[in-house]
Amino acid sequence: QVHLQQTGAGLLKPSETLSLTCAVNGGSFRGFYSYWIRQPPGKGLEWLAEINHIGSTTYNSSFGSRVSVSLDTSKNQLSLRLSPVTAADTAIYYCAMSQSRGSYSPLRHWGQGTLVTVSS
Amino acid sequence: EIVLTQSPGTLSLSPGERATLSCRASQSVSANYLAWYQQKPGQAPRLLIYGTSSRATDIPDRFSGRGAGTDFTLTINRLEPEDFVLYYCQLYGSSPLTFGGGTKVEIK
């Protein structure tokens, strides 16, 4: 059974860099679509970025060049970097993986979420 | 960019009743790429329905979806106590991924 496990710092100061990692157990990111999605406290879901089945990335234009994602297939790890952060970036961050290989499919697998708080 | 609008924002019902949640797209979309997720407090979203009407693994048959074009519906028959949580619709057929604003189903 596929399980996504997130790690990373939960408390940051403004202007610092958010770095999160998502490891997959019981499966592989290879060939699937992988995503980072966030949810501000009490609000809805917001897509940040994706890596598709051949490793190409697409980013939410709202974040400009602040966001980047990468996939280390040898370690089965997905990473997110967001810099610099502000208080508006306070949210629960989720990694997610598609249901099927090779094309767009629904988000079947989700990490447990990481609450990132940005405060001076 | 396609916008998904969910209504109502909050739905107040009693256990055993039927819930009907709406998701409207700002333009016609492919029914192949419309999904519904359930989110319980403190948890990640869980896939309920994909391709408008296909239930995900282990989802009870009291959950059903339908729709086409711009109008999609999630129906929950015979509401159970654990169903009184948040629901999101989503388009996943292209980038950017788009989510609706959510509907909260609460106990009346």
Side-chain angles (χ1 to χ4, degrees):
Chain A
Q1 187 169 348
V2 173
H3 177 71
L4 302 184
Q5 181 67 41
Q6 297 177 219
T7 55
L11 181 60
L12 297 171
K13 291 182 168 55
S15 79
E16 291 186 334
T17 297
L18 181 157
S19 293
L20 297 176
T21 298
C22 175
V24 60
N25 298 308
S28 172
F29 284 116
R30 191 185 301 272
F32 291 86
Y33 280 64
S34 305
Y35 302 90
W36 285 98
I37 291 156
R38 75 179 187 180
Q39 186 171 36
K43 296 189 177 180
L45 299 163
E46 180 179 33
W47 169 79
L48 279 76
E50 76 175 40
I51 292 182
N52 70 11
H53 62 302
I54 57 172
S56 298
T57 55
T58 306
Y59 298 106
N60 185 329
S61 59
S62 300
F63 295 91
S65 60
R66 291 200 304 135
V67 63
S68 66
V69 295
S70 61
L71 181 60
D72 186 335
T73 53
S74 65
K75 294 182 179 179
N76 251 336
Q77 284 186 352
L78 177 72
S79 297
L80 170 70
R81 184 179 182 274
L82 182 65
S83 184
V85 297
T86 70
D89 295 312
T90 294
I92 299 172
Y93 287 75
Y94 295 102
C95 60
M97 191 169 81
S98 63
Q99 174 167 271
S100 307
R101 273 196 167 96
S103 63
Y104 282 107
S105 62
L107 277 58
R108 174 71 176 87
H109 309 287
W110 292 72
Q112 80 276 19
T114 302
L115 174 60
V116 176
T117 302
V118 181
S119 175
S120 55
Chain B
E1 183 176 322
I2 298 172
V3 176
L4 297 179
T5 302
Q6 291 188 239
S7 61
T10 301
L11 192 53
S12 299
L13 293 167
S14 299
E17 291 191 304
R18 174 185 296 170
T20 303
L21 287 67
S22 172
C23 177
R24 177 163 291 178
S26 58
Q27 62 191 76
S28 185
V29 300
S30 169
N32 293 332
Y33 300 112
L34 193 286
W36 292 90
Y37 298 82
Q38 178 191 65
Q39 187 177 33
K40 297 181 178 180
Q43 295 185 18
R46 177 176 73 146
L47 177 66
L48 289 178
I49 300 285
Y50 63 96
T52 295
S53 59
S54 297
R55 272 188 303 276
T57 303
D58 296 330
I59 300 303
D61 61 7
R62 66 178 184 274
F63 291 91
S64 63
R66 62 180 298 169
T70 59
D71 293 313
F72 299 85
T73 301
L74 173 70
T75 300
I76 313 170
N77 287 311
R78 305 179 305 278
L79 282 163
E80 299 280 346
E82 62 268 26
D83 300 335
F84 290 89
V85 292
L86 267 170
Y87 296 86
Y88 293 95
C89 61
Q90 183 220 15
L91 278 177
Y92 56 87
S94 64
S95 295
L97 285 189
T98 304
F99 291 92
T103 291
K104 179 181 179 182
V105 179
E106 66 173 22
I107 297 178
K108 188 174 181 180

